[in-house]
Amino acid sequence: VVQVRGGPYSVGTVTWTVNGTATNPVFIRGPASGARITFANNSDIDFQGTYGILENVDVPRLTFSGGSTTHHLAVRHSQIHDHPGTGSMTRVSSDSSNIVIWDNEIDNNGVIPSSSDHHGINIGARVDRVWIVDNHIHHNSGDGLQFCHSCAAGEGPSNIFVGRNRMHNDEENAMDFKGFNGPIVVSQNVIYGYRTGEYSGNGDAIRINDEGQQGDIWVIYNEIYDSRMGINPSGAAAQTHLIGNVIHNINGPAVSWDADVVVNNTIYDISGDAIRGGEAQNNIITNVSGDAIGSEVTDCRNNLITDGVLAVSCTNGQSDDPLLLIDSENRVLGIGDNSPAIDSGVLEHPVYTMFENAFGLNIRVDYNGVPRPQGNGWDIGAHEFRSDGDARTPSPPTNLMISEM
């Protein structure tokens, strides 16, 4: 364990190489409480080696470097912000693997608006197994997270999990998936505040791009709101599975063209189209000014649609008030006990078995983690009604203490 205090330290570009093992990892850390160790704005840390954890630091730029000799590294409980140069502020360089970016604030890379991209996190070529979890990513003058721009065919990242992050107000997208081999899982993130940029960006909260070779991507149980566009897979080569998301207060399409599966989502308050393409099943669509179901939708059934144009015919659908339970911030908590969505969905779409076969995990749950079904059938939308009336996710505990570490 190497602990450093104080700062700001002006180090320029410095390489920190660790040679830990699974049973004896190396820690480089600032203080566990109080002010983090800080580095001046000319400082770039290249973190490389094996089995190391960097924590409690305040730094302008961090790169997991070293190629294939870099694996099993993590950065956590840190802030990476305000880098004065161009490019990405947190970069996972080519050929590295088993990287964890957990519980950090990654923000203000570049000035908004800017004609140059300054991304929060960038994932390079042939990177394998990365977890990006529980971070606060915001106000970067590019993408919050970008994958592998201009990667050669088959050289994109593989096995990436992006979960439980709060992402907002970047100049381009929260996430821009360019080339990737997959699979990619994007789960339980809260994403908001994306608008058309002065220099670039169309206000897509999640952009599954039309560049390079792509594999499977699963976008599940996220909340996306207050943006020009929700999820945009237009032109993407990826197999795109959109399950259990809550998408609302969008100024353009909630789900644009070329999605493959759009199942059990709740989509409301959309100034434009709701679902433009893919299999559209078990979705709640309400207060939509454009197409509820677009012309490229291939299999439309068991949706609860109260507004919008049906460009294709749908089967076993309903048109009635879904009785969404909405809080004071216009965020849906669940459905009421007389909702027509209850027990009205397709019993189980095959995509749930596909996920379990791929990852060994059962995601037959709703947005709040309630197992499906609760009654005689699956409910339509992102939420399953509970007979005990508890539709809300419990508040996180506070004032927790860990002793005898």
Side-chain angles (χ1 to χ4, degrees), residues 209-227:
N209 225 304
D210 54 359
E211 302 177 24
Q213 183 174 321
Q214 297 175 330
D216 282 359
I217 184 167
W218 302 78
V219 182
I220 59 177
Y221 309 117
N222 303 279
E223 183 183 15
I224 302 170
Y225 66 99
D226 187 27
S227 297

Side-chain angles (χ1 to χ4, degrees), residues 338-355:
N338 292 313
S339 173
I342 296 172
D343 296 344
S344 298
V346 176
L347 183 58
E348 179 184 320
H349 191 280
V351 74
Y352 292 92
T353 299
M354 289 173 58
F355 189 94

